Amino acid sequence: MGLAYETILHLINLRRSGRLPDRARVVEIGAQQLSNSFLRADAALTELYGLFGRKPVDLGGRQEAVTIDGVERQAESAPASQPFWESLGLSYDAVEYGGHRGVTSLDLNQDSVPYRLRSSFDLIVNAGTTEHVVNQDNAFRVIHDLAKAGGVMMHEVPAGGMLTHGVVSYNAQFFWLLCRDNNYEVIDLTVSHAGDAPISNDVVRAMRNTRARSIRSKRASPCRFFLSPRFCQKNSRKAFVTPLDVPPEALRR
């Protein structure tokens, strides 16, 4: 998905609350790009740079808008996010399958965090990556292991709906259990409406080939989806706990 206008607002709030210090170490889950909504947010960017005592820099030009399933997506040529983070005086890294864009190579389905990166980062940014990973347990274990004690984990991911994007659609319960079972502090746990996403006709045809006959291909009937800004703060160096969807009293047995 990339960094968007809303990402800037979240960073402003984190900075104002003291959770994003000077010279913080930032790691992205999947090397991101800057969307058009990010690049045209001049006022918000000026405010954010001011909070860091920095002057805004040229982050690159806006790209021709590409709209897919009702959502504006950044083009392949959109500017990378690394210069943005570094222009705030922050240290940058990312983990990416195959080391795309020259960052740390890591397969979220099966790899562990390299020792040199464990418990190292003040901010972990999951801006629309983990929904593409089948092994959710390992993906969120990686995020946990990257965060230092006191580090903030920021998730901007698709929630209920969006049936033909990625392999996972999140809900509030998932993140609530993730925070409960790992003793994360919940900074923000909200769901916001983002747009309409019709079911892809290509996916409909594939489903019908597997005898999923109930799927309809009427593109005029959109499937609602939401984006979920969620912030959790890691409070200890304890190992990651796989969330379990049972009442809290059951965990104490």
mmCIF file of all heavy atoms in Angstrom, residues 124-165:
data_model
loop_
_atom_site.group_PDB
_atom_site.id
_atom_site.type_symbol
_atom_site.label_atom_id
_atom_site.label_comp_id
_atom_site.label_asym_id
_atom_site.label_seq_id
_atom_site.Cartn_x
_atom_site.Cartn_y
_atom_site.Cartn_z
ATOM 1 N N ILE A 124 8.188 0.189 14.117
ATOM 2 C CA ILE A 124 8.045 -0.831 13.080
ATOM 3 C C ILE A 124 6.791 -0.478 12.288
ATOM 4 O O ILE A 124 5.705 -0.325 12.866
ATOM 5 C CB ILE A 124 7.926 -2.248 13.684
ATOM 6 C CG1 ILE A 124 9.200 -2.617 14.448
ATOM 7 C CG2 ILE A 124 7.690 -3.272 12.581
ATOM 8 C CD1 ILE A 124 9.230 -2.121 15.872
ATOM 9 N N VAL A 125 6.923 -0.335 10.973
ATOM 10 C CA VAL A 125 5.829 0.136 10.120
ATOM 11 C C VAL A 125 5.371 -0.983 9.198
ATOM 12 O O VAL A 125 6.116 -1.416 8.315
ATOM 13 C CB VAL A 125 6.266 1.366 9.293
ATOM 14 C CG1 VAL A 125 5.118 1.841 8.406
ATOM 15 C CG2 VAL A 125 6.731 2.488 10.211
ATOM 16 N N ASN A 126 4.155 -1.447 9.418
ATOM 17 C CA ASN A 126 3.529 -2.464 8.576
ATOM 18 C C ASN A 126 2.424 -1.768 7.784
ATOM 19 O O ASN A 126 1.270 -1.739 8.180
ATOM 20 C CB ASN A 126 2.953 -3.578 9.453
ATOM 21 C CG ASN A 126 2.158 -4.604 8.665
ATOM 22 O OD1 ASN A 126 2.381 -4.792 7.463
ATOM 23 N ND2 ASN A 126 1.223 -5.267 9.332
ATOM 24 N N ALA A 127 2.806 -1.162 6.658
ATOM 25 C CA ALA A 127 1.877 -0.354 5.871
ATOM 26 C C ALA A 127 1.310 -1.161 4.708
ATOM 27 O O ALA A 127 1.500 -0.824 3.546
ATOM 28 C CB ALA A 127 2.567 0.911 5.377
ATOM 29 N N GLY A 128 0.619 -2.238 5.035
ATOM 30 C CA GLY A 128 -0.011 -3.040 3.999
ATOM 31 C C GLY A 128 0.907 -4.093 3.426
ATOM 32 O O GLY A 128 1.071 -4.184 2.207
ATOM 33 N N THR A 129 1.526 -4.900 4.293
ATOM 34 C CA THR A 129 2.395 -5.986 3.849
ATOM 35 C C THR A 129 1.932 -7.330 4.374
ATOM 36 O O THR A 129 1.833 -8.310 3.627
ATOM 37 C CB THR A 129 3.854 -5.741 4.292
ATOM 38 O OG1 THR A 129 4.351 -4.565 3.650
ATOM 39 C CG2 THR A 129 4.741 -6.919 3.919
ATOM 40 N N THR A 130 1.624 -7.419 5.666
ATOM 41 C CA THR A 130 1.358 -8.737 6.270
ATOM 42 C C THR A 130 0.106 -9.408 5.730
ATOM 43 O O THR A 130 -0.026 -10.629 5.857
ATOM 44 C CB THR A 130 1.258 -8.637 7.802
ATOM 45 O OG1 THR A 130 0.253 -7.665 8.159
ATOM 46 C CG2 THR A 130 2.590 -8.238 8.405
ATOM 47 N N GLU A 131 -0.806 -8.662 5.103
ATOM 48 C CA GLU A 131 -1.986 -9.321 4.527
ATOM 49 C C GLU A 131 -1.619 -10.204 3.339
ATOM 50 O O GLU A 131 -2.439 -11.014 2.879
ATOM 51 C CB GLU A 131 -3.056 -8.295 4.115
ATOM 52 C CG GLU A 131 -2.740 -7.485 2.869
ATOM 53 C CD GLU A 131 -2.013 -6.184 3.188
ATOM 54 O OE1 GLU A 131 -1.401 -6.085 4.267
ATOM 55 O OE2 GLU A 131 -2.056 -5.267 2.337
ATOM 56 N N HIS A 132 -0.389 -10.087 2.856
ATOM 57 C CA HIS A 132 0.085 -10.908 1.741
ATOM 58 C C HIS A 132 0.848 -12.147 2.219
ATOM 59 O O HIS A 132 1.402 -12.878 1.396
ATOM 60 C CB HIS A 132 0.988 -10.078 0.833
ATOM 61 C CG HIS A 132 0.316 -8.871 0.251
ATOM 62 N ND1 HIS A 132 -0.576 -8.944 -0.796
ATOM 63 C CD2 HIS A 132 0.392 -7.563 0.607
ATOM 64 C CE1 HIS A 132 -1.015 -7.729 -1.086
ATOM 65 N NE2 HIS A 132 -0.448 -6.872 -0.241
ATOM 66 N N VAL A 133 0.877 -12.365 3.530
ATOM 67 C CA VAL A 133 1.660 -13.459 4.114
ATOM 68 C C VAL A 133 0.715 -14.514 4.688
ATOM 69 O O VAL A 133 -0.160 -14.201 5.510
ATOM 70 C CB VAL A 133 2.585 -12.926 5.224
ATOM 71 C CG1 VAL A 133 3.406 -14.066 5.818
ATOM 72 C CG2 VAL A 133 3.501 -11.836 4.679
ATOM 73 N N VAL A 134 0.890 -15.770 4.278
ATOM 74 C CA VAL A 134 0.039 -16.850 4.777
ATOM 75 C C VAL A 134 0.346 -17.160 6.236
ATOM 76 O O VAL A 134 -0.554 -17.349 7.056
ATOM 77 C CB VAL A 134 0.206 -18.112 3.901
ATOM 78 C CG1 VAL A 134 -0.489 -19.306 4.544
ATOM 79 C CG2 VAL A 134 -0.361 -17.858 2.498
ATOM 80 N N ASN A 135 1.625 -17.207 6.590
ATOM 81 C CA ASN A 135 2.032 -17.569 7.944
ATOM 82 C C ASN A 135 1.983 -16.344 8.852
ATOM 83 O O ASN A 135 2.986 -15.683 9.110
ATOM 84 C CB ASN A 135 3.434 -18.174 7.940
ATOM 85 C CG ASN A 135 3.822 -18.785 9.278
ATOM 86 O OD1 ASN A 135 3.204 -18.506 10.306
ATOM 87 N ND2 ASN A 135 4.850 -19.621 9.271
ATOM 88 N N GLN A 136 0.797 -16.036 9.355
ATOM 89 C CA GLN A 136 0.614 -14.860 10.192
ATOM 90 C C GLN A 136 1.389 -14.963 11.507
ATOM 91 O O GLN A 136 1.881 -13.967 12.036
ATOM 92 C CB GLN A 136 -0.870 -14.645 10.472
ATOM 93 C CG GLN A 136 -1.662 -14.240 9.251
ATOM 94 C CD GLN A 136 -1.334 -12.833 8.794
ATOM 95 O OE1 GLN A 136 -1.625 -11.863 9.479
ATOM 96 N NE2 GLN A 136 -0.716 -12.715 7.627
ATOM 97 N N ASP A 137 1.490 -16.161 12.060
ATOM 98 C CA ASP A 137 2.227 -16.339 13.309
ATOM 99 C C ASP A 137 3.664 -15.882 13.138
ATOM 100 O O ASP A 137 4.192 -15.120 13.961
ATOM 101 C CB ASP A 137 2.179 -17.801 13.740
ATOM 102 C CG ASP A 137 2.941 -18.048 15.037
ATOM 103 O OD1 ASP A 137 2.423 -17.664 16.105
ATOM 104 O OD2 ASP A 137 4.058 -18.595 14.990
ATOM 105 N N ASN A 138 4.314 -16.295 12.072
ATOM 106 C CA ASN A 138 5.705 -15.910 11.875
ATOM 107 C C ASN A 138 5.837 -14.430 11.545
ATOM 108 O O ASN A 138 6.766 -13.761 12.008
ATOM 109 C CB ASN A 138 6.353 -16.742 10.764
ATOM 110 C CG ASN A 138 7.869 -16.650 10.796
ATOM 111 O OD1 ASN A 138 8.517 -17.115 11.721
ATOM 112 N ND2 ASN A 138 8.443 -16.020 9.778
ATOM 113 N N ALA A 139 4.902 -13.898 10.762
ATOM 114 C CA ALA A 139 4.977 -12.490 10.380
ATOM 115 C C ALA A 139 4.935 -11.582 11.604
ATOM 116 O O ALA A 139 5.737 -10.642 11.731
ATOM 117 C CB ALA A 139 3.836 -12.143 9.424
ATOM 118 N N PHE A 140 4.016 -11.859 12.530
ATOM 119 C CA PHE A 140 3.900 -10.992 13.707
ATOM 120 C C PHE A 140 4.960 -11.318 14.761
ATOM 121 O O PHE A 140 5.292 -10.460 15.584
ATOM 122 C CB PHE A 140 2.482 -11.054 14.260
ATOM 123 C CG PHE A 140 1.530 -10.236 13.434
ATOM 124 C CD1 PHE A 140 0.914 -10.777 12.309
ATOM 125 C CD2 PHE A 140 1.286 -8.914 13.749
ATOM 126 C CE1 PHE A 140 0.062 -10.006 11.522
ATOM 127 C CE2 PHE A 140 0.446 -8.138 12.963
ATOM 128 C CZ PHE A 140 -0.172 -8.681 11.845
ATOM 129 N N ARG A 141 5.518 -12.511 14.698
ATOM 130 C CA ARG A 141 6.678 -12.833 15.536
ATOM 131 C C ARG A 141 7.890 -12.003 15.076
ATOM 132 O O ARG A 141 8.653 -11.498 15.902
ATOM 133 C CB ARG A 141 6.986 -14.330 15.434
ATOM 134 C CG ARG A 141 8.056 -14.836 16.396
ATOM 135 C CD ARG A 141 8.268 -16.331 16.203
ATOM 136 N NE ARG A 141 7.024 -17.072 16.393
ATOM 137 C CZ ARG A 141 6.578 -17.501 17.571
ATOM 138 N NH1 ARG A 141 7.291 -17.273 18.665
ATOM 139 N NH2 ARG A 141 5.430 -18.162 17.652
ATOM 140 N N VAL A 142 8.063 -11.867 13.772
ATOM 141 C CA VAL A 142 9.144 -11.042 13.229
ATOM 142 C C VAL A 142 8.994 -9.598 13.703
ATOM 143 O O VAL A 142 9.964 -8.968 14.149
ATOM 144 C CB VAL A 142 9.150 -11.116 11.686
ATOM 145 C CG1 VAL A 142 9.993 -9.988 11.089
ATOM 146 C CG2 VAL A 142 9.672 -12.465 11.215
ATOM 147 N N ILE A 143 7.781 -9.057 13.613
ATOM 148 C CA ILE A 143 7.547 -7.680 14.036
ATOM 149 C C ILE A 143 7.872 -7.516 15.520
ATOM 150 O O ILE A 143 8.515 -6.546 15.930
ATOM 151 C CB ILE A 143 6.090 -7.281 13.732
ATOM 152 C CG1 ILE A 143 5.882 -7.196 12.216
ATOM 153 C CG2 ILE A 143 5.732 -5.949 14.400
ATOM 154 C CD1 ILE A 143 4.434 -7.032 11.793
ATOM 155 N N HIS A 144 7.423 -8.474 16.324
ATOM 156 C CA HIS A 144 7.699 -8.450 17.761
ATOM 157 C C HIS A 144 9.210 -8.467 18.024
ATOM 158 O O HIS A 144 9.712 -7.698 18.861
ATOM 159 C CB HIS A 144 7.045 -9.668 18.414
ATOM 160 C CG HIS A 144 7.313 -9.810 19.877
ATOM 161 N ND1 HIS A 144 6.455 -9.336 20.848
ATOM 162 C CD2 HIS A 144 8.347 -10.389 20.554
ATOM 163 C CE1 HIS A 144 6.948 -9.605 22.049
ATOM 164 N NE2 HIS A 144 8.091 -10.243 21.897
ATOM 165 N N ASP A 145 9.931 -9.310 17.322
ATOM 166 C CA ASP A 145 11.365 -9.468 17.568
ATOM 167 C C ASP A 145 12.175 -8.273 17.067
ATOM 168 O O ASP A 145 13.277 -8.018 17.563
ATOM 169 C CB ASP A 145 11.874 -10.752 16.912
ATOM 170 C CG ASP A 145 11.372 -12.009 17.624
ATOM 171 O OD1 ASP A 145 10.860 -11.883 18.755
ATOM 172 O OD2 ASP A 145 11.485 -13.110 17.038
ATOM 173 N N LEU A 146 11.648 -7.533 16.096
ATOM 174 C CA LEU A 146 12.336 -6.332 15.628
ATOM 175 C C LEU A 146 12.217 -5.186 16.633
ATOM 176 O O LEU A 146 13.121 -4.357 16.754
ATOM 177 C CB LEU A 146 11.748 -5.875 14.288
ATOM 178 C CG LEU A 146 12.100 -6.724 13.056
ATOM 179 C CD1 LEU A 146 11.193 -6.340 11.892
ATOM 180 C CD2 LEU A 146 13.566 -6.549 12.668
ATOM 181 N N ALA A 147 11.109 -5.142 17.353
ATOM 182 C CA ALA A 147 10.833 -4.020 18.259
ATOM 183 C C ALA A 147 11.661 -4.108 19.526
ATOM 184 O O ALA A 147 11.798 -5.171 20.123
ATOM 185 C CB ALA A 147 9.352 -3.986 18.609
ATOM 186 N N LYS A 148 12.208 -2.983 19.950
ATOM 187 C CA LYS A 148 12.854 -2.918 21.259
ATOM 188 C C LYS A 148 11.778 -2.752 22.324
ATOM 189 O O LYS A 148 10.623 -2.429 22.014
ATOM 190 C CB LYS A 148 13.830 -1.743 21.303
ATOM 191 C CG LYS A 148 13.168 -0.375 21.130
ATOM 192 C CD LYS A 148 14.083 0.790 21.482
ATOM 193 C CE LYS A 148 15.387 0.788 20.739
ATOM 194 N NZ LYS A 148 16.174 2.029 20.999
ATOM 195 N N ALA A 149 12.114 -2.974 23.583
ATOM 196 C CA ALA A 149 11.172 -2.698 24.660
ATOM 197 C C ALA A 149 10.852 -1.208 24.639
ATOM 198 O O ALA A 149 11.758 -0.375 24.638
ATOM 199 C CB ALA A 149 11.767 -3.106 25.999
ATOM 200 N N GLY A 150 9.579 -0.865 24.579
ATOM 201 C CA GLY A 150 9.161 0.519 24.421
ATOM 202 C C GLY A 150 8.932 0.912 22.979
ATOM 203 O O GLY A 150 8.451 2.018 22.706
ATOM 204 N N GLY A 151 9.277 0.021 22.031
ATOM 205 C CA GLY A 151 9.080 0.306 20.622
ATOM 206 C C GLY A 151 7.610 0.239 20.223
ATOM 207 O O GLY A 151 6.820 -0.486 20.821
ATOM 208 N N VAL A 152 7.252 1.010 19.197
ATOM 209 C CA VAL A 152 5.870 1.091 18.719
ATOM 210 C C VAL A 152 5.727 0.317 17.411
ATOM 211 O O VAL A 152 6.553 0.457 16.506
ATOM 212 C CB VAL A 152 5.449 2.556 18.510
ATOM 213 C CG1 VAL A 152 4.070 2.643 17.869
ATOM 214 C CG2 VAL A 152 5.458 3.304 19.840
ATOM 215 N N MET A 153 4.678 -0.504 17.338
ATOM 216 C CA MET A 153 4.361 -1.265 16.130
ATOM 217 C C MET A 153 3.130 -0.641 15.483
ATOM 218 O O MET A 153 2.067 -0.573 16.095
ATOM 219 C CB MET A 153 4.108 -2.728 16.491
ATOM 220 C CG MET A 153 5.356 -3.423 17.020
ATOM 221 S SD MET A 153 5.015 -4.906 18.020
ATOM 222 C CE MET A 153 4.553 -4.147 19.586
ATOM 223 N N MET A 154 3.286 -0.160 14.264
ATOM 224 C CA MET A 154 2.223 0.557 13.562
ATOM 225 C C MET A 154 1.721 -0.298 12.412
ATOM 226 O O MET A 154 2.489 -0.699 11.540
ATOM 227 C CB MET A 154 2.772 1.886 13.042
ATOM 228 C CG MET A 154 1.803 2.708 12.232
ATOM 229 S SD MET A 154 2.553 4.328 11.833
ATOM 230 C CE MET A 154 2.407 4.328 10.069
ATOM 231 N N HIS A 155 0.414 -0.575 12.417
ATOM 232 C CA HIS A 155 -0.190 -1.415 11.387
ATOM 233 C C HIS A 155 -1.265 -0.631 10.642
ATOM 234 O O HIS A 155 -2.207 -0.135 11.257
ATOM 235 C CB HIS A 155 -0.822 -2.659 12.001
ATOM 236 C CG HIS A 155 0.119 -3.489 12.808
ATOM 237 N ND1 HIS A 155 1.061 -4.320 12.230
ATOM 238 C CD2 HIS A 155 0.293 -3.611 14.149
ATOM 239 C CE1 HIS A 155 1.762 -4.928 13.174
ATOM 240 N NE2 HIS A 155 1.319 -4.502 14.346
ATOM 241 N N GLU A 156 -1.116 -0.504 9.336
ATOM 242 C CA GLU A 156 -2.148 0.068 8.478
ATOM 243 C C GLU A 156 -2.463 -0.993 7.426
ATOM 244 O O GLU A 156 -1.777 -1.102 6.417
ATOM 245 C CB GLU A 156 -1.659 1.359 7.837
ATOM 246 C CG GLU A 156 -1.434 2.488 8.833
ATOM 247 C CD GLU A 156 -0.950 3.764 8.154
ATOM 248 O OE1 GLU A 156 0.220 3.812 7.773
ATOM 249 O OE2 GLU A 156 -1.762 4.679 8.010
ATOM 250 N N VAL A 157 -3.511 -1.767 7.687
ATOM 251 C CA VAL A 157 -3.778 -2.955 6.878
ATOM 252 C C VAL A 157 -5.254 -3.048 6.533
ATOM 253 O O VAL A 157 -6.101 -2.485 7.222
ATOM 254 C CB VAL A 157 -3.342 -4.234 7.635
ATOM 255 C CG1 VAL A 157 -1.831 -4.286 7.794
ATOM 256 C CG2 VAL A 157 -4.010 -4.310 9.007
ATOM 257 N N PRO A 158 -5.600 -3.768 5.454
ATOM 258 C CA PRO A 158 -7.012 -3.949 5.096
ATOM 259 C C PRO A 158 -7.741 -4.762 6.159
ATOM 260 O O PRO A 158 -7.213 -5.734 6.689
ATOM 261 C CB PRO A 158 -6.942 -4.714 3.775
ATOM 262 C CG PRO A 158 -5.573 -4.500 3.265
ATOM 263 C CD PRO A 158 -4.695 -4.367 4.473
ATOM 264 N N ALA A 159 -8.957 -4.358 6.417
ATOM 265 C CA ALA A 159 -9.796 -5.094 7.363
ATOM 266 C C ALA A 159 -11.001 -5.656 6.622
ATOM 267 O O ALA A 159 -10.966 -5.814 5.404
ATOM 268 C CB ALA A 159 -10.214 -4.183 8.513
ATOM 269 N N GLY A 160 -12.109 -5.943 7.335
ATOM 270 C CA GLY A 160 -13.247 -6.676 6.797
ATOM 271 C C GLY A 160 -13.637 -6.281 5.385
ATOM 272 O O GLY A 160 -13.940 -5.126 5.115
ATOM 273 N N GLY A 161 -13.653 -7.219 4.486
ATOM 274 C CA GLY A 161 -13.969 -6.981 3.086
ATOM 275 C C GLY A 161 -12.744 -7.183 2.224
ATOM 276 O O GLY A 161 -11.918 -8.040 2.478
ATOM 277 N N MET A 162 -12.603 -6.399 1.159
ATOM 278 C CA MET A 162 -11.456 -6.443 0.242
ATOM 279 C C MET A 162 -11.082 -7.884 -0.073
ATOM 280 O O MET A 162 -9.984 -8.354 0.228
ATOM 281 C CB MET A 162 -10.270 -5.691 0.848
ATOM 282 C CG MET A 162 -9.325 -5.124 -0.211
ATOM 283 S SD MET A 162 -8.147 -3.937 0.469
ATOM 284 C CE MET A 162 -7.406 -3.331 -1.039
ATOM 285 N N LEU A 163 -12.022 -8.586 -0.697
ATOM 286 C CA LEU A 163 -11.922 -10.029 -0.841
ATOM 287 C C LEU A 163 -10.865 -10.495 -1.830
ATOM 288 O O LEU A 163 -10.521 -11.670 -1.827
ATOM 289 C CB LEU A 163 -13.285 -10.595 -1.265
ATOM 290 C CG LEU A 163 -14.437 -10.341 -0.287
ATOM 291 C CD1 LEU A 163 -15.717 -10.958 -0.807
ATOM 292 C CD2 LEU A 163 -14.106 -10.890 1.086
ATOM 293 N N THR A 164 -10.369 -9.602 -2.667
ATOM 294 C CA THR A 164 -9.402 -10.042 -3.674
ATOM 295 C C THR A 164 -8.071 -9.311 -3.552
ATOM 296 O O THR A 164 -7.369 -9.104 -4.519
ATOM 297 C CB THR A 164 -9.977 -9.855 -5.094
ATOM 298 O OG1 THR A 164 -10.327 -8.465 -5.262
ATOM 299 C CG2 THR A 164 -11.204 -10.709 -5.303
ATOM 300 N N HIS A 165 -7.724 -8.932 -2.339
ATOM 301 C CA HIS A 165 -6.429 -8.297 -2.078
ATOM 302 C C HIS A 165 -5.718 -9.078 -0.990
ATOM 303 O O HIS A 165 -6.226 -9.241 0.115
ATOM 304 C CB HIS A 165 -6.615 -6.845 -1.634
ATOM 305 C CG HIS A 165 -5.314 -6.173 -1.269
ATOM 306 N ND1 HIS A 165 -4.524 -5.540 -2.206
ATOM 307 C CD2 HIS A 165 -4.670 -6.055 -0.085
ATOM 308 C CE1 HIS A 165 -3.449 -5.053 -1.598
ATOM 309 N NE2 HIS A 165 -3.501 -5.354 -0.316
#
